[in-house]
Amino acid sequence: MVSPTLPLYPPASLGVIGGGQLGRMFLQAAQRMGYRTGVLAATEESPAAQVAHWTAVGPPGHLPALRAFAGQAEGVTVEFENVSAPALRWLARGKVVRPGWRTVWVSQNRLREKTFLRENGLPHAPWRPVRSAGELAGLVEGLGLPLILKTASSGYDGKGQARVEHADEVEPAWATLGRTPCVAEGWVKFAAEVSVVVARGEDGQAVAYPVGQNRHRRHILDATVMPAAVGPAVAQEAQELALAVAQALGTVGVLTVEFFLTEGGGLLINELAPRPHNSGHLTIEAAVSSQFEQQVRALCGLPLGSPNLVSPAAMVNLLGDLWAGGPPDWRAALAADPGVKLHLYGKRTPAVGRKMGHLTVLDPDPETALARVTDARRRLTGGR
Ligand code: AMP
């Protein structure tokens, strides 16, 4: 493979590994800027494949599929973290690959992620590794109760987690997780969950979006409001910490840092995602440059765009649950408030907990934005 030279200007061909909604919105941002776009996706029907100029079909670790993908992409990015680091290293021999394998490798495994945070003096909840039955001993003494066990890899939206209330539940909880390597975390009494999306260029230039305040339901993001109502000192600290994470990882691309804001006003890093994030979807309408546009710019070696908000905003997710009684009433939601922006990801089969789309509302008052967007979602199922 011949290494491409930067910057990658339109109409260069950009490819994303992963066919979900994050890949779809990356491709849409790239297309607006005049790039050719493609995806490595499980099927031609994947959300990203539906809008791509070209698609390589196959699992991300499958060499023939990767070769077909590499044959058409000049710049490569990812939409999820569970991409094999060796595959990314192989791709990087002939392609621009951002984020690089190290950022993805650290953030795809909670043991590596926590170790990285500890080694870099970045604040996080107390934790212990659980790789063997022997490491279960002393967890309760070290972390207190309740504590939470999380599988080191392949967990998302609360999957692969078990809460432990009593000391005698530690071993059964680990058993329910298949006795795979885990991290055990002390329970954090948080006042709020917030996140910061940052973009970092190859030259180290980096920008942070305003802090988003997140509400989860059943461990799945339900709503985000930006800017978060956390006060200027906490907001600045969160942004500085997120930028410090990106710098310490040497990330080129977009990175999201999720935090717990403790009752005492401290910030603890919960999770890293080496990519745009659900809590940043509202930047499509609310920011000068969206998180997906920044992903394109960072990948291609272009100057980053402004992360400033044109307006405060709120976003709610549309889960498959909303389809339980038949198709949602789109007309009712859109007619009641012409400021509501509808995003659907092209998924044909709604399922409980499946992210089908989202709604965004801009409003000078963030709380009013949240009330309006929540009201619009309620109207989707109003008659039922
Ligand atoms: P995670 O997959 O690690 O982001 O966890 C999913 C959700 O579980 C978080 O957004 C929190 O609401 C909750 N959670 C996870 N870890 C903890 C913790 N150590 N203390 C309290 N709540 C937690």
Side-chain angles (χ1 to χ4, degrees):
M1 287 192 273
V2 180
S3 292
T5 48
L6 282 167
L8 290 174
Y9 287 122
S13 185
L14 308 182
V16 62
I17 299 179
Q21 62 267 20
L22 295 169
R24 177 180 172 107
M25 290 184 271
F26 164 76
L27 296 189
Q28 289 169 331
Q31 288 168 2
R32 268 196 298 278
M33 293 176 75
Y35 288 97
R36 276 189 63 73
T37 61
V39 59
L40 175 58
T43 76
E44 297 271 4
E45 285 304 308
S46 304
Q50 289 174 23
V51 304
H53 294 117
W54 54 268
T55 301
V57 175
H62 189 228
L63 201 57
L66 262 180
R67 274 192 208 286
F69 174 76
Q72 299 195 70
E74 291 160 77
V76 172
T77 190
V78 302
E79 67 132 26
F80 64 103
E81 43 273 42
N82 288 321
V83 178
S84 100
L88 287 180
R89 288 167 83 158
W90 175 76
L91 280 168
R93 285 174 22 205
K95 310 288 167 188
V96 178
V97 179
R98 291 165 165 183
W101 69 269
R102 181 166 176 264
T103 297
V104 174
W105 183 78
V106 169
S107 52
Q108 71 190 192
N109 180 291
R110 289 186 197 270
L111 285 164
R112 290 197 285 265
E113 193 172 277
K114 302 278 188 206
T115 305
F116 160 80
L117 294 174
R118 186 173 59 203
E119 285 176 352
N120 286 277
L122 294 158
H124 54 277
W127 68 282
R128 300 275 189 286
V130 178
R131 291 156 300 196
S132 64
E135 285 180 326
L136 293 174
L139 281 188
V140 173
E141 290 72 22
L143 299 172
L145 286 169
L147 62 82
I148 183 161
L149 283 175
K150 302 181 179 181
T151 55
S153 53
S154 306
Y156 67 97
D157 286 347
K159 296 187 177 73
Q161 299 193 7
R163 196 175 127 120
V164 175
E165 309 274 347
H166 301 286
D168 56 7
E169 289 168 11
V170 172
E171 158 43 44
W174 194 44
T176 64
L177 299 175
R179 297 196 173 88
T180 54
C182 285
V183 298
E185 260 179 53
W187 191 255
V188 178
K189 283 202 186 122
F190 57 80
E193 291 187 86
V194 299
S195 54
V196 176
V197 179
V198 299
R200 187 168 179 275
E202 166 192 45
D203 56 359
Q205 180 213 0
V207 295
Y209 286 92
V211 180
Q213 188 158 345
N214 302 325
R215 182 177 73 206
H216 291 84
R217 251 192 224 164
R218 300 190 327 254
H219 293 281
I220 303 171
L221 184 69
D222 180 52
T224 299
V225 177
M226 195 183 284
V230 293
V234 170
Q236 188 178 338
E237 189 189 343
Q239 288 177 312
E240 283 172 3
L241 283 170
L243 290 166
V245 170
Q247 187 174 351
L249 277 172
T251 304
V252 180
V254 172
L255 176 102
T256 307
V257 181
E258 292 182 74
F259 299 90
F260 298 125
L261 177 61
T262 66
E263 288 174 346
L267 285 164
L268 298 175
I269 295 175
N270 173 32
E271 244 190 335
L272 312 179
R275 51 169 172 79
H277 190 260
N278 196 166
S279 62
H281 288 359
L282 49 68
T283 62
I284 292 175
E285 287 93 1
V288 175
S289 297
S290 77
Q291 59 173 352
F292 300 104
E293 182 181 331
Q294 305 284 25
Q295 191 179 13
V296 176
R297 287 173 178 244
L299 170 60
C300 295
L302 300 177
L304 298 176
S306 164
N308 292 343
L309 295 188
V310 294
S311 166
M315 181 239 39
V316 288
N317 271 332
L318 303 178
L319 300 185
D321 313 43
L322 292 169
W323 276 250
D329 187 349
W330 305 116
R331 192 182 162 74
L334 299 179
D337 186 340
V340 171
K341 303 292 282 184
L342 170 65
H343 296 253
L344 289 171
Y345 309 142
K347 297 181 185 177
R348 301 237 194 282
T349 325
V352 172
R354 188 170 195 213
K355 291 175 181 172
M356 304 294 288
H358 68 270
L359 300 176
T360 300
V361 167
L362 309 191
D363 194 284
D365 175 51
E367 282 308 311
T368 306
L370 181 61
R372 285 172 57 194
V373 79
T374 305
D375 187 53
R377 183 173 63 182
R378 204 174 299 119
R379 286 172 195 275
L380 289 174
T381 53
R384 308 200 284 268

